[in-house]
Amino acid sequence: MSEGTMALSEELKHREQVLVICEAFFYFLTLSVAIIGNSCVILAVYRNTRLRTIPNYYIVSLAISDILLPLLCAPYSIAVVILGHWPFSDDVCQAQGFFVMILACASLLILTLTAINRFYRMVRTKHYRRIFTKSKTIIMISFCFGLACMEPLPYLVSGRRYVFHPGKLFCFQTTEISISNLLVYVFVGVPTFTLSICYVLVFKKMRIHQRTVQNLRSSSLAEDSITLADVKVTKILFVTVMGFLACWTPISVIDFVDTFRGKVSFPRQVYVLYFILGNLSGAINPFVYGVLNSNFRQEYKKIFNFRKRSSRIHHLKLDLTSQSIQHRRNRESTID
């Protein structure tokens, strides 16, 4: 264990009780929001047929990834926050590190796939319906999850193990320069570059389309066949990408600096921010959909009003039953 790691371990053990409670509460709240929010996204698409569109297939798959990450990995980190040390076995550590890498990579690949989808819908419109059918979209999403499962293999096959990081509060790769460690940045860099190029071309096309609309060139409009709904969907998916990158870019920078220097490089506060950003990335998307998409917003309202409505119906049934019993008693007393 390096000197920096030992110092972080000591800081983790000797935190004040108030800080322990605040950190545990905040982490638990963030993870709960991520699980509940993304569950509502899936339920909204299931309940509303208008939301069962090709772009929303990507949103649902992203929501699944954002649910699995806190469910499979976060409970161990919350235990660490409360106890101040890693109380689990090495096998649990390997499993946590494995799933963290897979699910983070899967989210990025799905976002890249959404960018490619938008590129074909807005720029290569003639080929869109042939390539992006529902069955092909499901195959593409499955391929993304399969490719994500390949990401940790070079690191593990090289004989390396995940180790608990007392600053990040979960098990992660060792901090050293090696081919297997640097391959992570290939899995991050290539998708990030791809989605960036796709959205640059998409927004360039959208500007051209907007100028065409302003100039009332109906012939070009018919040729492009870009609708207002397409523009709205593109903006929603773009905001989702920006939220993901806003959270994960600082995380990647911190990881890169640690790997390049071969040691823990930052104070505990930076790694706390690292952990917070990782949790927030899975919690903000349901709010983005609710704010920017009226169909999602309406379904959210229905979902959260369901319990209240069920309670009112239950009380109404009890009142009707009581009235019926009272009415029957009154009839019986009249007959007597």
Side-chain angles (χ1 to χ4, degrees):
M1 185 180 292
S2 66
E3 182 178 346
T5 304
M6 292 179 62
L8 288 176
S9 297
E10 290 301 314
E11 284 189 63
L12 182 63
K13 290 179 181 177
H14 298 96
R15 292 167 299 158
E16 295 183 1
Q17 193 68 26
V18 175
L19 183 59
V20 173
I21 295 173
C22 290
E23 287 184 358
F25 174 77
F26 180 79
Y27 297 152
F28 182 79
L29 177 63
T30 307
L31 296 170
S32 299
V33 170
I35 294 172
I36 295 172
N38 286 289
S39 298
C40 288
V41 170
I42 297 172
L43 185 58
V45 175
Y46 173 77
R47 285 162 54 99
N48 192 335
T49 55
R50 289 180 298 177
L51 289 173
R52 297 177 196 173
T53 61
I54 296 296
N56 285 349
Y57 277 40
Y58 304 119
I59 287 177
V60 168
S61 60
L62 185 62
I64 291 173
S65 178
D66 289 338
I67 290 173
L68 290 177
L69 186 59
L71 285 179
L72 295 177
C73 306
Y76 308 110
S77 296
I78 292 179
V80 169
V81 171
I82 296 172
L83 299 176
H85 64 93
W86 179 262
F88 307 103
S89 67
D90 181 66
D91 290 337
V92 173
C93 183
Q94 302 312 306
Q96 187 191 45
F98 184 75
F99 285 118
V100 165
M101 301 303 292
I102 285 177
L103 294 171
C105 183
S107 296
L108 179 57
L109 290 175
I110 291 168
L111 289 173
T112 304
L113 194 56
T114 65
I116 296 172
N117 173 276
R118 291 297 89 193
F119 170 77
Y120 274 93
R121 184 67 190 93
M122 307 295 287
V123 182
R124 304 294 185 188
T125 55
K126 294 181 180 179
H127 307 286
Y128 179 77
R129 297 191 184 280
R130 177 175 58 85
I131 297 175
F132 290 94
T133 63
K134 289 187 177 182
S135 58
K136 290 181 180 179
T137 299
I138 293 173
I139 293 173
M140 292 177 191
I141 293 172
S142 301
F143 177 77
C144 285
F145 278 100
L147 186 60
C149 291
M150 302 294 291
E151 194 277 338
L153 294 184
Y155 180 82
L156 297 175
V157 170
S158 66
R160 290 173 171 80
R161 307 278 289 176
Y162 295 115
V163 295
F164 172 68
H165 193 295
K168 299 174 182 177
L169 303 176
F170 63 90
C171 294
F172 195 62
Q173 294 181 172
T174 56
T175 53
E176 58 183 347
I177 297 178
S178 65
I179 295 177
S180 58
N181 282 46
L182 294 178
L183 279 175
V184 173
Y185 299 99
V186 175
F187 276 86
V188 172
V190 173
T192 303
F193 176 78
T194 301
L195 68 86
S196 299
I197 294 298
C198 286
Y199 275 114
V200 167
L201 296 174
V202 164
F203 279 96
K204 181 179 179 181
K205 179 69 173 182
M206 288 172 62
R207 284 197 298 271
I208 295 172
H209 173 73
Q210 186 175 10
R211 288 199 298 268
T212 303
V213 172
Q214 292 173 351
N215 294 330
L216 299 177
R217 296 177 181 174
S218 58
S219 59
S220 296
L221 282 173
E223 181 182 353
D224 290 343
S225 67
I226 297 174
T227 65
L228 181 61
D230 293 325
V231 174
K232 288 183 177 180
V233 169
T234 301
K235 289 181 178 179
I236 291 172
L237 295 176
F238 179 72
V239 172
T240 302
V241 170
M242 288 297 98
F244 183 88
L245 293 180
C247 291
W248 284 91
T249 298
I251 290 175
S252 299
V253 171
I254 293 170
D255 286 338
F256 181 79
V257 172
D258 280 353
T259 300
F260 182 77
R261 298 188 65 187
K263 63 178 182 178
V264 173
S265 307
F266 301 97
R268 183 174 183 273
Q269 291 78 5
V270 174
Y271 293 113
V272 168
L273 176 63
Y274 179 109
F275 190 71
I276 290 174
L277 289 175
N279 292 329
L280 282 178
S281 67
I284 59 178
N285 289 338
F287 293 99
V288 172
Y289 310 143
V291 171
L292 300 181
N293 189 302
S294 59
N295 288 329
F296 270 108
R297 187 162 58 249
Q298 291 172 6
E299 286 302 317
Y300 289 170
K301 291 178 180 178
K302 291 177 183 178
I303 291 170
F304 287 106
N305 286 334
F306 177 76
R307 190 170 184 178
K308 185 186 296 185
R309 190 165 58 250
S310 298
S311 178
R312 288 200 301 266
I313 293 173
H314 177 69
H315 287 300
L316 180 60
K317 287 181 178 179
L318 289 178
D319 291 340
L320 290 175
T321 302
S322 300
Q323 292 175 10
S324 177
I325 294 172
Q326 184 63 38
H327 181 67
R328 188 171 62 249
R329 288 177 177 174
N330 290 338
R331 289 182 60 189
E332 291 175 353
S333 61
T334 304
I335 294 173
D336 291 341

